[in-house]
């Protein structure tokens, strides 16, 4: 297993739209293992392939307290089943150090495939609902900072660009 490099805002590669996964092979399994290891190492609760510069529709999530319940969603979709919104202070491994309140639908049905290609569905609510929606956004080139004001987004961009220059 290996730790993958996580792209950081405003890297333009985070804006790419990912394409569907069509091949379920050992290579995909290795990618998922690496993404999980990368997510745990960075102390995150979710990671989309886009964030590690792989533009395929897959994500890994672990919202459990003990970080022992990894979930993999391949070709995921989220269908809103209740209009109720919930607010959550979101962060992102691609926007390190920043947290902003975002509202999203509270409950939805997630449809996806597992690593063997088998389809499954689950009802998502609470933090899992927020997290799945946040990660699916990544696959569509969208970031949580797109939901906040342009002024706040620009401030975050400036700060991260400064950090990137320092570490370059
Ligand atoms: Ni994120």
């Amino acid at each position: 297993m290996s730790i993958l490099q996580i792209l950081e805002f405003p890297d333009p590669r985070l804006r790419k739209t990912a394409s569907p996964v069509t091949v379920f092979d050992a290579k995909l399994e290795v990618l998922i293992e690496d993404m999980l290891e990368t997510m745990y190492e960075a102390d995150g609760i979710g990671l989309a392939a886009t964030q590690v510069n792989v533009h395929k529709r897959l994500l890994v999530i672990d919202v459990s307290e003990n970080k022992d319940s990894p979930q993999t969603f391949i070709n995921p979709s989220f269908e809103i089943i209740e209009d109720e919104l919930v607010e959550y202070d979101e962060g992102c491994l691609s926007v390190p150090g920043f947290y902003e309140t975002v509202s999203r639908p509270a409950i939805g049905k997630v449809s996806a495939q597992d690593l063997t290609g088998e389809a499954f569905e689950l009802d998502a609510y609470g933090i899992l609902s927020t997290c799945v929606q946040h990660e699916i956004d990544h696959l569509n080139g969208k970031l949580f900072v797109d939901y906040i004001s342009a002024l706040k987004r620009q401030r975050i961009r400036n700060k991260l660009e400064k950090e990137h220059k320092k570490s370059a």
Side-chain angles (χ1 to χ4, degrees):
M1 290 195 286
S2 43
I3 302 289
L4 307 169
Q5 198 204 332
I6 299 175
L7 302 178
E8 293 187 3
F9 178 66
D11 192 309
R13 291 171 289 181
L14 287 168
R15 296 307 190 177
K16 286 192 188 180
T17 301
S19 39
V21 172
T22 52
V23 181
F24 296 82
D25 59 2
K27 216 177 128 190
L28 182 69
E29 224 165 297
V30 170
L31 174 61
I32 290 165
E33 289 296 321
D34 288 348
M35 282 174 60
L36 280 167
E37 197 186 9
T38 303
M39 177 184 79
Y40 288 128
E41 206 256 351
D43 216 11
I45 60 170
L47 186 70
T50 304
Q51 293 177 274
V52 293
N53 200 28
V54 175
H55 300 281
K56 290 274 161 66
R57 304 192 77 82
L58 80 103
L59 41 101
V60 294
I61 287 177
D62 189 341
V63 292
S64 70
E65 211 167 303
N66 297 326
K67 303 284 176 217
D68 57 3
S69 304
Q71 289 176 287
T72 301
F73 299 89
I74 300 171
N75 299 323
S77 63
F78 183 90
E79 185 196 329
I80 299 165
I81 52 181
E82 258 185 50
D83 284 334
E84 184 200 338
L85 296 176
V86 68
E87 282 189 340
Y88 194 82
D89 282 337
E90 294 190 22
C92 180
L93 296 177
S94 294
V95 191
F98 295 91
Y99 296 86
E100 296 289 344
T101 305
V102 177
S103 340
R104 298 183 189 266
I107 306 173
K109 190 172 76 185
V110 184
S111 307
Q113 286 165 279
D114 68 15
L115 74 147
T116 67
E118 193 166 335
F120 67 93
E121 283 183 353
L122 59 87
D123 290 342
Y125 49 89
I127 192 171
L128 180 62
S129 172
T130 294
C131 192
V132 168
Q133 292 175 74
H134 173 120
E135 301 309 332
I136 290 176
D137 273 355
H138 277 299
L139 303 180
N140 296 322
K142 196 163 180 178
L143 298 167
F144 84 92
V145 293
D146 299 341
Y147 295 94
I148 63 176
S149 74
L151 186 69
K152 274 189 184 170
R153 184 164 57 252
Q154 188 60 43
R155 270 195 210 133
I156 292 174
R157 186 191 179 109
N158 291 345
K159 282 183 190 160
L160 285 175
E161 278 177 338
K162 233 183 249 174
E163 292 290 316
H164 296 157
K165 260 181 216 149
K166 255 191 267 168
S167 59

